[in-house]
């Protein structure tokens, strides 16, 4: 509300919409990374994991259960922040369309993806390094589309410096393209976002989540707690 009041009257609604998408995404990822990197570490540090592993529970079940609990927390957080944001939009007189809810759903998928990366790193390294690596995936993932555009351009960095092209191609292959979860511009300009796009983006995110959790389970299975 404060930022929209500082803007031009004609831009107030746009500021409220754009900042809402940005802030909810940022806070959701921040919570996911923060809790994700200390989730397993805390169990090991407090030695509570020793009371769980002797039971008929597989290590991967323990890890996936922790992740699903965290994802449930993210869903609740996004629901509360999204509800507050929609209330702000109503106060500003902005139209509330179905694409606003599609945007919240895509934010949830994005946060779940980054959180799975945080859990993966926490399975084999310290919270500090886990946080750095997870944030790195988020930051690089947000600019993957720019690297892809530079690779397709006829002139630019990868044309002037051809030795960098393999590095750029590696980035686009390994890192998830988190740009697919940003639809704030479409909402601002009234461009409809089809459900097929939301479904494809969700499937894309789930694929990365499965890969990250599979790697986490494999590394956690081999980890020695003694």
């Amino acid at each position: 509300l404060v930022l929209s009041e500082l803007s031009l009257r004609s831009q107030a609604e746009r500021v409220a919409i754009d900042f809402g998408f940005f802030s909810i995404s940022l806070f959701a990822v921040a919570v996911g990374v923060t809790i994700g990197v200390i989730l397993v570490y805390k169990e090991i540090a407090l030695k509570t994991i020793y009371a769980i592993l002797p039971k008929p529970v597989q290590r991967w079940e323990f890890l996936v259960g922790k992740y699903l609990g965290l994802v449930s927390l993210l869903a609740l957080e996004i629901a509360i922040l999204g509800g507050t944001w929609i209330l702000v939009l109503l106060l500003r007189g902005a139209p509330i369309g179905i694409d606003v809810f599609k945007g919240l759903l895509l934010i949830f998928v994005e946060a779940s993806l980054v959180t799975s990366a945080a859990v993966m790193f926490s399975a084999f390294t310290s919270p500090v390094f886990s946080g750095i690596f997870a944030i790195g995936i988020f930051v690089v993932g947000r600019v993957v589309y720019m690297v892809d555009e530079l690779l397709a351009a006829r002139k630019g960095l990868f044309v002037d410096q051809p030795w960098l092209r393999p590095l750029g191609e590696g980035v686009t292959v390994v890192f998830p393209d988190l740009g697919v979860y940003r639809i704030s511009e479409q909402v601002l300009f009234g461009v409809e976002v089809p459900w097929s796009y939301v479904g494809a983006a969700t499937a894309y995110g789930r694929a990365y989540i499965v890969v990250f959790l599979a790697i986490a389970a494999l590394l956690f299975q081999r980890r020695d707690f003694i």
Side-chain angles (χ1 to χ4, degrees):
L1 283 171
V2 172
L3 289 177
S4 60
E5 286 294 342
L6 294 176
S7 63
L8 296 176
R9 190 65 184 175
S10 60
Q11 301 294 321
E13 295 179 6
R14 297 185 60 180
V15 170
I17 293 174
D18 196 32
F19 184 76
F21 275 120
F22 168 77
S23 58
I24 294 175
S25 174
L26 182 63
F27 282 121
V29 169
V31 169
V33 170
T34 303
I35 301 180
V37 298
I38 66 173
L39 209 58
V40 177
Y41 176 81
K42 185 178 179 181
E43 295 283 354
I44 299 174
L46 297 178
K47 300 186 184 303
T48 53
I49 194 171
Y50 295 104
I52 299 175
L53 294 182
K55 300 182 183 298
V57 177
Q58 299 294 326
R59 288 192 180 188
W60 69 266
E61 293 176 322
F62 170 80
L63 201 64
V64 172
K66 286 286 185 180
Y67 172 74
L68 292 178
L70 180 51
V71 167
S72 300
L73 177 63
L74 289 176
L76 178 61
E77 177 197 4
I78 292 174
I80 295 174
L81 291 178
T84 306
W85 175 48
I86 291 173
L87 178 60
V88 171
L89 294 180
L90 291 174
L91 292 175
R92 293 251 49 103
I96 307 297
I98 190 63
D99 285 341
V100 169
F101 297 95
K102 293 177 182 178
L104 291 174
L105 176 59
L106 291 177
I107 289 175
F108 171 70
V109 177
E110 179 190 39
S112 301
L113 194 162
V114 178
T115 300
S116 68
V119 172
M120 177 186 68
F121 292 124
S122 70
F124 68 91
T125 188
S126 66
V128 175
F129 286 109
S130 299
I132 293 174
F133 295 151
I135 293 173
I137 284 186
F138 174 69
V139 173
V140 176
R142 278 296 184 96
V143 298
V144 162
Y145 77 96
M146 296 175 60
V147 177
D148 199 33
E149 290 177 356
L150 288 173
L151 287 170
R154 295 184 178 180
K155 60 180 181 178
L157 176 64
F158 295 110
V159 176
D160 298 334
Q161 305 291 338
W163 59 275
L164 285 176
R165 177 169 287 273
L167 177 61
E169 292 174 346
V171 167
T172 58
V173 170
V174 174
F175 288 86
D177 183 4
L178 300 181
V180 301
Y181 303 108
R182 296 178 59 187
I183 63 169
S184 57
E185 292 184 1
Q186 288 87 335
V187 175
L188 285 172
F189 293 105
V191 179
E192 182 182 359
V193 179
W195 280 109
S196 58
Y197 177 86
V198 177
T202 301
Y204 175 76
R206 285 180 177 176
Y208 268 97
I209 291 172
V210 170
V211 171
F212 286 153
L213 291 182
I215 295 174
L218 179 63
L219 295 173
F220 193 64
Q221 187 68 33
R222 296 173 178 270
R223 185 167 181 173
D224 188 4
F225 299 109
I226 300 177

